[in-house]
Amino acid sequence: MAYYDLSKEERAGVFSQMTEVVCTETNAGQWKLGYAYFADPDTYIRKNAYLATGRLVQAGTISKSRVIQILEELFKDENQLVRQTVINAAGEIGCFDFEAVMPFFEKGLFDPHHQVRNAVIGSIKKMGQKNPVPVLAYAERFLEHEQFEIRREIVHGIELRGRTHPQDILPLLRRLEHDQKPRVRNTLVHVLGQIAYKKGCLETVCADLKTHWQNKELVNDALEEIIDVHYRYRNFTCYTQDEARAYIEQYFSN
């Protein structure tokens, strides 16, 4: 039976049991059921496994160094679901201690399977939001990587921090304004749209685009994306689409 086929009370019981298993097996130094959780085809079982792991480490209930040793072994597994869950577990730890788990992301960025690489993006998003200083410094190292897909993944990964603090990521995004790869450029435009719809963010993004960006064609595309986002996300935006369009037209007319 799938996780979300269970009742709310049953799901709570499953999470409690999984947490106990991760704690017990970590202290014993070997994961058996823990491995099965990480390899489970049910996304939500895997999610609960990495959430339980991160919370136990943060609470000091289990040894961080012992967990990292176990994750290092699991990351050698041929099953991409296991490697994906390892990255997500490392991401939970990285929200409060990025340096301890950085090697997982160094490897995960180059994993042959897209599910693992996508887990890196998702983890950079959540870590960058909660622990931005070391995570953004890490991301900056890859902005000019020779593999364009790495550049694209990093741009996507820093998006979540930018949604509430666009000033933190705009200098990083700017370094790619002349990137010739369409996938990088498209992701750059997408992220600029995503970081401009919350309160105070449109003004910050527009000021940066007008003052510091040289690629006017990209800026125009980004502004169109920002206006479009204000319609697509109209239930969550600070301004209506018409208000955002009017602000942009007036701001860039001067």
Side-chain angles (χ1 to χ4, degrees):
M1 181 178 290
Y3 180 75
Y4 269 97
D5 289 335
L6 303 174
S7 68
K8 183 177 180 180
E9 292 75 18
E10 288 172 324
R11 294 198 301 271
V14 168
F15 183 74
S16 178
Q17 180 182 10
M18 293 173 69
T19 301
E20 184 177 348
V21 166
V22 170
C23 183
T24 301
E25 292 193 345
T26 299
N27 290 332
Q30 185 177 18
W31 279 13
K32 294 180 181 179
L33 281 176
Y35 171 84
Y37 295 151
F38 271 45
D40 199 290
D42 188 329
T43 299
Y44 297 102
I45 293 295
R46 300 197 307 276
K47 181 176 181 179
N48 277 281
Y50 70 69
L51 288 175
T53 303
R55 290 177 187 178
L56 286 167
V57 171
Q58 187 170 22
T61 308
I62 55 179
S63 164
K64 178 172 59 182
S65 61
R66 186 168 290 181
V67 167
I68 289 173
Q69 281 184 321
I70 293 171
L71 293 179
E72 286 172 346
E73 288 302 311
L74 292 179
F75 199 57
K76 300 172 185 176
D77 201 276
E78 294 182 356
N79 186 342
Q80 76 273 7
L81 296 181
V82 175
R83 301 197 308 278
Q84 177 196 47
T85 313
V86 166
I87 290 293
N88 282 319
E92 293 299 313
I93 298 170
C95 287
F96 55 89
D97 187 356
F98 177 69
E99 289 80 2
V101 294
M102 185 171 65
F104 291 102
F105 300 100
E106 300 273 355
K107 297 175 183 177
L109 267 175
F110 303 95
D111 194 275
H113 204 283
H114 69 91
Q115 284 181 281
V116 182
R117 298 194 302 272
N118 287 342
V120 171
I121 296 173
S123 292
I124 291 175
K125 282 186 174 183
K126 65 187 176 186
M127 293 186 300
Q129 183 185 36
K130 296 180 179 180
N131 191 13
V133 174
V135 176
L136 293 181
Y138 163 82
E140 187 174 8
R141 293 168 41 206
F142 295 93
L143 286 174
E144 297 173 7
H145 195 276
E146 61 183 8
Q147 295 183 32
F148 73 87
E149 195 60 27
I150 299 298
R151 303 196 300 274
R152 186 196 71 82
E153 289 171 354
I154 289 297
V155 168
H156 199 183
I158 62 178
E159 173 191 317
L160 196 57
R161 177 65 181 178
R163 289 194 188 188
T164 53
H165 297 78
Q167 67 277 6
D168 287 357
I169 75 165
L170 281 164
L172 304 184
L173 299 180
R174 198 186 311 142
R175 287 172 55 180
L176 293 171
E177 66 172 314
H178 297 294
D179 199 297
Q180 297 299 307
K181 289 295 183 179
R183 277 176 63 80
V184 178
R185 188 186 190 280
N186 292 343
T187 302
L188 188 60
V189 169
H190 163 80
V191 171
L192 286 167
Q194 293 295 310
I195 66 174
Y197 70 85
K198 296 194 175 190
K199 185 176 181 180
C201 293
L202 178 63
E203 295 85 349
T204 299
V205 174
C206 285
D208 199 81
L209 290 174
K210 184 176 181 179
T211 305
H212 300 297
W213 293 59
Q214 300 174 347
N215 188 338
K216 300 306 180 185
E217 182 180 352
L218 186 143
V219 168
N220 289 335
D221 288 346
L223 293 175
E224 288 298 321
E225 176 69 8
I226 289 169
I227 292 170
D228 191 50
V229 164
H230 274 78
Y231 176 76
R232 299 200 311 266
Y233 287 31
R234 55 192 176 277
N235 294 329
F236 308 99
T237 58
C238 177
Y239 295 115
T240 67
Q241 185 183 43
D242 288 341
E243 289 170 339
R245 182 185 288 110
Y247 177 85
I248 287 170
E249 288 175 354
Q250 181 178 9
Y251 189 79
F252 282 88
S253 66
N254 299 325

